[in-house]
Amino acid sequence: MSIPLMGMLMLISLATAAAGIVTVALMLDTPPLSLSRLCAVLVLVFSSSAAAVYCYGWFSVTMGGPFPELCEDRNASGAELASMQQEYWPLRSACVYSDGATVEHVSLLINVLVCVPASLAVVLACVGAVLRRRARPPAERIS
């Protein structure tokens, strides 16, 4: 993907997450609270925050980030650094040495901050669908 496209996706995701947080705060202040609608807004918040964190990690990998400093010039067996490889998902980087050895660096924090909110968004989407189905009157369920 191109840098401007990922930049726009990150800005849109941040704005959507912020708007969703404001919406949740307003929903909690005004009764009655519809749980299915609250789940829908929380899905939006968690999925957009996961997208924003992923875009941040993507920029970190694209721009070089902290990764090059993690590679040593020589590994424990004395082989020289041959190349550095970076992948965008799961935002992993690897130091490849001349003897074929590879040392991978996976940013656990980025993966947790992407996978946990995305998983919560999926679970909340399912819960919201179940709550929405239960909230409908029996006449609407038949048609």
Side-chain angles (χ1 to χ4, degrees), residues 108-133:
L108 181 63
L109 182 63
I110 294 290
N111 282 336
V112 167
L113 291 177
V114 171
C115 294
V116 170
S119 301
L120 283 173
V122 170
V123 168
L124 283 171
C126 294
V127 168
V130 168
L131 289 173
R132 178 85 172 162
R133 185 168 174 90

